[in-house]
Amino acid sequence: MEFQDVVRRRRMVREFTDEDVSEESLQRILRNARRGPSAGFSQGQEFLVLRGPDLARFWALPDLWAADGVTKAPLVIVPFANKDTYLNRYAEQDKGWTDRDEARWPVPFWYIDRGMAALLILQTVVDEGLGALYFGIAPEGVGKFRREFGIPDSFDPIGPIAIGHSAEDKPASYSSAITRRRRSVEEVVHYGQWG
């Protein structure tokens, strides 16, 4: 598939069939996710892959921000950010900092880099002919999620991604892509100066 087609076709899917995702597709998705930017090549990412019986445990958790039809997805990947890996990397000699001061960072790159990994997952899913939904876990549910799956406190989930074969012919009628218009390039791009 051409890159422009991948970008144009990428959307959130809220209804899935129960058809499985091939191992080949899963491995390609994971390989591509690892290729996202990583400040200082810190590589502070990890991914939890949920299939089969593990999915039942996941969907039984409270505080997941996903529609009911999403629970048919045969695969969920949760990208995690690890701040300590970044702070440690930038305290190494070749980076020039001698401490792990979080205040040095203009924005938390550990989250931004994971967002880019999530986008690579979403784009690879489209290229594989599959559908996906990125969604959230309510803050009050993160602790339960960590306990259920043995996730260390130093790893922050940035949002699960449900993956499978779409059961939708078109976006759901309640999808924001249907109920809101996409802002034009002229509305969002500023050349040389804001305003």
Side-chain angles (χ1 to χ4, degrees):
M1 188 179 299
E2 293 292 322
F3 180 71
Q4 283 305 125
D5 291 331
V6 169
V7 172
R8 185 178 47 78
R9 290 180 184 180
R10 203 246 9 107
R11 67 178 180 84
M12 298 301 170
V13 172
R14 290 165 178 82
E15 295 283 338
F16 293 91
T17 71
D18 58 2
E19 183 181 348
D20 202 9
V21 171
S22 74
E23 185 65 24
E24 179 181 295
S25 290
L26 170 60
Q27 293 308 314
R28 184 166 178 249
I29 291 164
L30 295 171
R31 281 193 308 273
N32 286 354
R34 289 181 37 254
R35 302 291 303 188
S38 177
F41 207 49
S42 300
Q43 302 179 74
Q45 78 268 5
E46 305 236 356
F47 304 91
L48 178 64
V49 176
L50 302 171
R51 299 172 98 173
D54 295 326
L55 278 175
R57 292 173 37 224
F58 177 75
W59 293 121
L61 290 169
D63 306 313
L64 299 175
W65 293 344
D68 290 341
V70 176
T71 62
K72 285 187 179 180
L75 171 63
V76 171
I77 299 175
V78 186
F80 289 85
N82 182 272
K83 173 175 60 176
D84 291 335
T85 303
Y86 283 72
L87 298 180
N88 291 338
R89 172 67 181 110
Y90 274 79
E92 292 178 17
Q93 187 175 8
D94 68 317
K95 289 302 178 187
W97 297 347
T98 58
D99 59 35
R100 299 175 71 249
D101 187 359
E102 191 175 333
R104 293 184 186 275
W105 294 81
V107 293
F109 278 44
W110 40 94
Y111 294 128
I112 292 168
D113 288 352
R114 288 314 65 73
M116 291 187 204
L119 181 57
L120 285 171
I121 290 171
L122 294 171
Q123 289 178 326
T124 305
V125 163
V126 171
D127 200 42
E128 288 290 307
L130 301 167
L133 177 72
Y134 172 83
F135 59 98
I137 301 171
E140 58 273 16
V142 171
K144 296 170 195 157
F145 173 57
R146 284 183 196 285
R147 287 187 296 278
E148 181 66 31
F149 292 97
I151 300 158
D153 288 342
S154 59
F155 286 87
D156 293 328
I158 64 155
I161 303 170
I163 300 169
H165 295 269
S166 176
E168 299 175 348
D169 294 332
K170 58 184 180 181
S173 61
Y174 56 86
S175 165
S176 295
I178 299 296
T179 62
R180 298 175 53 96
R181 75 172 181 80
R182 185 177 305 276
R183 293 172 64 198
S184 70
V185 170
E186 294 76 21
E187 290 176 288
V188 299
V189 177
H190 309 273
Y191 292 96
Q193 182 169 324
W194 204 278

